[in-house]
Amino acid sequence: MIDEVNRAHYEDEIVTIAHRLSVMDGLAIVDRNRVYVDTDAITRLMRQRLTQTFLRYRDLLRLDSEEIVAFDQLLKDVSLAAKHGKEGIQIPPNEADGVLLDMVSQIRDEFLHNPAYGLDFYLSKRIRHLSFVGKLRDPLELKNLITTRMNGHSGYNENSFWLEKLSLTESSRERLSLLFSDFAAEFDERVALIKDRLFHARSTDKPEGIFDIVITPSLLYVIKVISVNDTDVEKLFQTIYAVFWGSLSPHLELARTTISQSLRLALPESLNRLRAKVAEIVNQDAALQEFSLFVAQAISELETAIIETESWFDRADIKSAEHHFTLSQAVDVAVESALKSNKVLEPKIAYELDEDTSVFASQLVFITDAVLVAFGNIRKHSQLASPNVLIRCGLNSEKNGLQVEVIHDVSSRINKPEHQRRMSEIRDLISRGADGKRSKFDEGSGFIKLAQVVRQSEHGRIEFDFHESRKFRLFVQYAWIPEETTDETL
């Protein structure tokens, strides 16, 4: 029997639950696309360059007298070689293999290092830039257990919250202040060691980078066998990308293991040492008990955050055509994702959204990138914990651009001329097209990284500046290419 009296209430609850499930689905997509390569863009870039080479390769392959084994036999050969500790399949050299090696090498370089589409660019934009450090720092910042570096100095801001709250003599205050500063430096150095040295595609600049694709004879032969029936260059590209992702699987596992072994025990132990040393300095009082409780809570939340960062490297292929979101769902995903990386913020958010527009998973990730950059800058530069934030999202009037605009309050205390000088430098870099290599090392505003994406199309735009008297505005427009959709929206 239908409860007609409460029917409207139940329907509202169903809509709310469905919306929340879509947001959770979207958050999973964002996290699983942190390790990403824009293979569509690389295909467009390399198609013209390699089409003639591919046709030559196909001609040589037909002349190749070597019989290409079936794929199941190939797997047996590779497995047998691994069992006996050998490198793998040995390929008799011939001209066709030399041409294939040249194509695979060129695609590998773009796949790993292209400054706008490659793996290292997305590692920078979605992991190294704010996200990784912010995710791990947030549990501590929420409990006022760690402070930030002083502007223009190597030292840290004084932890005035606990220095005022705890019962201290003048000498113990100095000791405790130094203790908090040393703890913050140790925490940041341990996290930065992984972020700055290891979470990179390996190169001459970053020789310790975890991610690399070594083109061994076995890997080349796997590509050769799988692609034997590929009749056009784009099919070959798809084969190569699939093999590359398979080759990167051990590197993704290494990234997860590195986080687990380097941080999961060490960071909580560091917090426990801080708690013990504070107890040695401070007289027993209620504030000390509160401090101890905050440390325990922070350890629990930090362990959860560490596990979540490990999951960023658990890549899962998700086809965008299978996931559709309303703009309301997409922006909720973007905001929740940004707040998860900036938990110290408590913004008052208002929305102006085009509810007639739906987006795919790939477009969802673009929206999330823009909002993440905006919230990262609010956290770092606004000097406000609870600013008013307006988020606008929708298509432009020509229906060829998806627009994301974030306007937020800034404190009257910020150094406006210095920020304007820095923004002018960034605009100059973007306008001169000098942002390719620079974007990999931009750990500041994130605007250069966004520009690298939007500038891939003539319809892309990025604008950033102070807005009115005490507000800041970030505007991003991505090229909008409508895709065929189903009627069902997740």
Side-chain angles (χ1 to χ4, degrees):
M1 180 180 294
I2 298 175
D3 182 357
E4 291 293 345
V5 175
N6 293 303
R7 181 179 185 133
H9 173 70
Y10 296 149
E11 289 176 348
D12 288 343
E13 281 194 347
I14 291 171
V15 170
T16 300
I17 292 170
H19 180 90
R20 182 59 194 163
L21 289 173
S22 290
V23 170
M24 292 172 65
D25 194 22
L27 287 168
I29 288 173
V30 169
D31 281 344
R32 291 176 182 175
N33 277 275
R34 290 180 186 271
V35 178
Y36 180 77
V37 177
D38 189 346
T39 52
D40 289 341
I42 291 176
T43 296
R44 292 193 298 270
L45 177 70
M46 300 297 287
R47 183 194 301 118
Q48 185 174 4
R49 187 192 305 179
L50 293 181
T51 294
Q52 291 302 315
T53 305
F54 171 77
L55 294 175
R56 178 168 172 253
Y57 169 68
R58 294 294 303 173
D59 290 340
L60 290 170
L61 201 60
R62 282 192 285 269
L63 299 174
D64 187 356
S65 61
E66 178 191 359
E67 182 180 353
I68 299 178
V69 301
F71 186 64
D72 57 350
Q73 182 60 47
L74 170 68
L75 293 179
K76 292 179 183 178
D77 292 344
V78 172
S79 177
L80 185 64
K83 183 177 180 180
H84 291 87
K86 298 179 181 179
E87 188 280 330
I89 304 300
Q90 299 300 315
I91 308 172
N94 59 56
E95 190 174 358
D97 291 331
V99 174
L100 178 61
L101 175 60
D102 178 62
M103 288 192 292
V104 172
S105 298
Q106 290 187 55
I107 296 170
R108 171 199 174 274
D109 291 344
E110 300 296 336
F111 187 93
L112 290 177
H113 301 294
N114 185 284
Y117 317 127
L119 176 66
D120 199 65
F121 169 70
Y122 283 98
L123 287 173
S124 173
K125 187 157 70 83
R126 296 180 179 173
I127 293 179
R128 294 198 302 266
H129 180 78
L130 298 178
S131 297
F132 185 68
V133 175
K135 185 73 174 178
L136 300 181
R137 259 182 155 265
D138 272 336
L140 281 64
E141 290 187 350
L142 285 168
K143 303 293 188 297
N144 295 291
L145 298 175
I146 194 169
T147 58
T148 56
R149 292 185 185 274
M150 293 185 289
N151 288 333
H153 299 82
S154 59
Y156 284 76
N157 291 302
E158 188 176 69
N159 194 328
S160 56
F161 180 88
W162 287 109
L163 292 178
E164 297 299 331
K165 200 173 185 66
L166 295 167
S167 300
L168 301 170
T169 64
E170 186 62 34
S171 61
S172 62
R173 181 187 176 93
E174 292 179 4
R175 291 171 59 197
L176 199 58
S177 180
L178 180 61
L179 178 62
F180 278 119
S181 179
D182 289 345
F183 165 76
E186 178 189 351
F187 186 96
D188 284 346
E189 286 170 9
R190 188 178 293 274
V191 174
L193 178 67
I194 294 175
K195 176 181 76 76
D196 296 333
R197 288 173 55 184
L198 304 181
F199 287 170
H200 289 265
R202 190 169 302 162
S203 65
T204 54
D205 293 331
K206 295 293 180 180
E208 297 177 271
I210 285 178
F211 302 98
D212 196 14
I213 298 171
V214 179
I215 304 176
T216 62
S218 292
L219 182 140
L220 193 66
Y221 199 65
V222 168
I223 293 173
K224 182 176 181 179
V225 171
I226 298 175
S227 66
V228 67
N229 294 318
D230 290 346
T231 55
D232 62 67
V233 71
E234 291 192 19
K235 289 183 179 179
L236 174 65
F237 290 164
Q238 297 308 314
T239 295
I240 292 172
Y241 299 148
V243 174
F244 281 176
W245 281 121
S247 178
L248 282 171
S249 291
H251 302 261
L252 295 171
E253 174 62 30
L254 178 58
R256 296 192 294 271
T257 302
T258 298
I259 295 173
S260 177
Q261 294 181 349
S262 300
L263 301 180
R264 196 183 288 187
L265 291 178
L267 295 184
E269 285 178 357
S270 181
L271 273 167
N272 277 321
R273 287 196 301 272
L274 174 68
R275 175 165 52 184
K277 290 178 180 178
V278 169
E280 293 175 1
I281 297 173
V282 179
N283 297 324
Q284 291 291 335
D285 62 6
L288 181 59
Q289 295 178 11
E290 183 182 5
F291 176 80
S292 180
L293 176 62
F294 275 29
V295 170
Q297 292 172 342
I299 288 174
S300 177
E301 293 170 12
L302 177 60
E303 289 172 343
T304 300
I306 291 171
I307 292 171
E308 287 187 24
T309 61
E310 290 177 36
S311 72
W312 294 353
F313 297 94
D314 186 15
R315 184 180 179 275
D317 288 324
I318 302 175
K319 296 180 180 179
S320 61
E322 297 174 354
H323 295 266
H324 312 87
F325 301 85
T326 67
L327 272 189
S328 177
Q329 293 167 345
V331 172
D332 276 355
V333 169
V335 169
E336 188 159 337
S337 179
L339 289 176
K340 283 173 67 178
S341 297
N342 299 279
K343 288 185 177 179
V344 294
L345 286 178
E346 296 181 354
K348 304 177 183 69
I349 306 174
Y351 302 92
E352 294 180 9
L353 308 176
D354 178 3
E355 292 297 348
D356 293 330
T357 300
S358 62
V359 298
F360 291 84
S362 57
Q363 296 152 345
L364 163 71
V365 174
F366 286 138
I367 295 172
T368 302
D369 285 343
V371 173
L372 183 63
V373 166
F375 276 56
N377 281 294
I378 294 172
R379 171 180 174 168
K380 291 183 66 175
H381 302 302
S382 74
Q383 298 187 19
L384 297 171
S386 301
N388 292 302
V389 178
L390 172 62
I391 299 177
R392 294 185 176 124
C393 190
L395 297 182
N396 63 359
S397 57
E398 292 81 15
K399 305 296 184 183
N400 60 12
L402 176 63
Q403 299 179 337
V404 183
E405 183 177 31
V406 182
I407 301 173
H408 62 84
D409 295 341
V410 295
S411 170
S412 59
R413 300 187 303 273
I414 68 170
N415 187 340
K416 206 168 183 179
E418 174 59 23
H419 282 283
Q420 288 174 325
R421 182 194 64 79
R422 176 67 182 133
M423 286 189 292
S424 179
E425 292 177 354
I426 294 172
R427 290 191 199 95
D428 184 56
L429 282 169
I430 292 172
S431 66
R432 290 190 289 109
D435 49 355
K437 295 182 179 179
R438 174 64 184 273
S439 69
K440 294 169 59 177
F441 307 100
D442 175 24
E443 303 300 337
S445 67
F447 298 149
I448 289 177
K449 295 182 178 70
L450 286 180
Q452 278 293 90
V453 177
V454 302
R455 289 176 66 247
Q456 295 172 17
S457 166
E458 62 179 347
H459 301 304
R461 290 166 51 201
I462 180 169
E463 300 169 5
F464 46 90
D465 206 343
F466 288 102
H467 182 71
E468 300 175 351
S469 59
R470 293 184 183 176
K471 293 184 182 295
F472 189 87
R473 172 180 178 267
L474 169 64
F475 173 87
V476 178
Q477 178 171 293
Y478 299 103
W480 174 263
I481 303 175
E483 301 181 56
E484 186 178 351
T485 69
T486 65
D487 292 334
E488 182 179 358
T489 299
L490 292 180

